[in-house]
Amino acid sequence: MDRFEAIKTIASQLKDELVICNIGFPSRELYSINDSPTHFYMLGSMGMASSIGLGLAMAQERKVVVFDGDGSVLMNLGGLVTTFNQAPSNLVLLVIDNECYGSTGSQCTYASTVDLGKIAKSVGFENNFKFLESEKIDLEKVLKSEGPVFVHIKVKSGNADVPIIDITPEEILGRFMEEVKRP
Ligand SMILES: Cc1ncc(C[n+]2csc(CCOP(=O)(O)OP(=O)(O)O)c2C)c(N)n1
Ligand SMILES: [Mg+2]
């Protein structure tokens, strides 16, 4: 299973959760699999999808699902500590771990030697799931768990041949904010 297959499997199990997606190919892949106003494609800073998800989860009650990457989590490890301490019960952090900066040329990260799931456990995340590359990602238990939930998903490296997102950042933000404000 690669990132594209993982996102496809996960997207097919999501309902009306608010989704924050990591910069680069993860967002392009999700956009091509299934676009929705409930998706915020984070086109800016690497490492910030989890922090945006945290703020969003704290600001409203709807469930928030973040698609993050190993490189991004390693860049913003402090975000895990903040998330654990703020403890939003409606936040699910999915880390798609391909052990590389897949979107910028697949340079290796340290996720091959440092276990991100163990880091999350040591920070205190009690609801902590792991899916290996060969395992089917079943989100039922994950989505039923009390947040904040950490999900470590191991995948093969590789990007799907998908085009860039052809809606503007303003459109992405505008329609997402309408969704967030929807009663
Ligand atoms: C602060 C910052 N540094 C570097 C980049 C360039 N960049 C964009 S995506 C990316 C790789 C992200 O790797 P990862 O989070 O593991 O996601 P993957 O693409 O592997 O799914 C990099 C280095 C950036 N956008 N922002
Ligand atoms: Mg990666």
Side-chain angles (χ1 to χ4, degrees):
M1 174 179 58
D2 60 13
R3 184 202 312 102
F4 183 77
E5 291 160 36
I7 294 177
K8 200 169 173 185
T9 306
I10 294 163
S12 71
Q13 297 174 68
L14 294 177
K15 294 173 197 91
D16 68 342
E17 296 84 356
L18 297 171
V19 173
I20 307 290
C21 191
N22 194 22
I23 183 171
F25 269 97
S27 278
R28 286 166 63 168
E29 291 176 354
L30 177 62
Y31 181 71
S32 82
I33 290 163
N34 171 37
D35 180 36
S36 163
T38 56
H39 296 172
F40 180 69
Y41 307 105
M42 206 274 294
L43 305 179
S45 287
M46 190 183 152
M48 287 297 127
S50 56
S51 299
I52 294 169
L54 170 61
L56 181 61
M58 290 171 66
Q60 51 82 59
E61 286 177 0
R62 229 162 124 181
K63 186 155 277 199
V64 176
V65 173
V66 177
F67 284 95
D68 215 342
D70 52 301
S72 300
V73 169
L74 287 167
M75 183 174 267
N76 182 17
L77 274 181
L80 290 181
V81 176
T82 310
T83 301
F84 169 71
N85 281 283
Q86 292 297 331
S89 61
N90 55 340
L91 181 65
V92 177
L93 182 56
L94 305 171
V95 181
I96 304 188
D97 179 0
N98 53 10
E99 300 185 357
C100 68
Y101 301 108
S103 296
T104 52
S106 298
Q107 304 88 350
C108 296
T109 66
Y110 294 126
S112 57
T113 51
V114 168
D115 186 327
L116 295 175
K118 280 191 187 160
I119 292 181
K121 259 185 211 144
S122 75
V123 166
F125 284 83
E126 273 168 28
N127 286 326
N128 196 313
F129 297 83
K130 181 164 189 171
F131 295 98
L132 299 173
E133 208 182 294
S134 55
E135 277 177 304
K136 171 149 172 35
I137 304 167
D138 183 355
L139 276 198
E140 202 186 328
K141 252 193 182 166
V142 170
L143 293 173
K144 276 190 191 147
S145 299
E146 167 107 354
V149 184
F150 185 93
V151 187
H152 190 195
I153 301 164
K154 280 289 197 183
V155 297
K156 280 193 300 202
S157 65
N159 305 314
D161 185 14
V162 289
I164 57 165
I165 294 173
D166 58 4
I167 50 175
T168 65
E170 289 79 7
E171 278 175 274
I172 294 170
L173 180 65
R175 63 182 202 166
F176 185 73
M177 290 311 292
E178 287 302 310
E179 251 320 300
V180 172
K181 286 186 222 148
R182 198 162 57 83

